[in-house]
Each structure stands twice: as structure tokens, then as C-alpha cells.
Amino acid sequence: MAHAHLVSRTVDLDMVGAGWERTVDGYLNRLLKAWILDSVRELMGWGLRSSLTI
């Protein structure tokens, strides 16, 4: 990923020019609910883990 911008320039890749836009829906549709809950549980600590369910 560190050199992704160099590759995109080399192959003349212009995502914005092609009409691509970043959206919250586009990002969140790629995440599984279980992954989100696991992350929240990890950040909350052990005490509140059992209160979150899928």
C-alpha cells in the first residue's frame, strides 16, 4: 500500500475521473457486523463484552 500512488500514476489510473466516490455506505457494506462487534468488544474491555450480541 505504501507505493499504491506510484502504481496508479504509472498505469494512469484515475478513480475520481472514472466517477468513483468514497461513501460511508460503500465502506460499511464491506464490513461484517461480527467484525465490527469484535472490535467494539475489544475496545470496551472484558467487563462489558457479554452485553453486545450479534
Side-chain angles (χ1 to χ4, degrees):
M1 271 318 254
H3 302 289
H5 67 286
L6 295 175
V7 173
S8 67
R9 286 185 188 154
T10 301
V11 297
D12 197 27
L13 181 63
D14 182 5
M15 295 297 291
V16 174
W20 180 83
E21 294 180 12
R22 288 185 289 187
T23 64
V24 172
D25 287 337
Y27 177 72
L28 293 178
N29 285 335
R30 290 174 175 79
L31 295 178
L32 297 177
K33 184 177 179 182
W35 294 348
I36 296 169
L37 289 175
D38 284 344
S39 297
V40 170
R41 287 185 189 113
E42 183 178 329
L43 292 172
M44 290 172 57
W46 291 99
L48 300 173
R49 283 178 178 236
S50 62
S51 65
L52 289 177
T53 59
I54 294 177

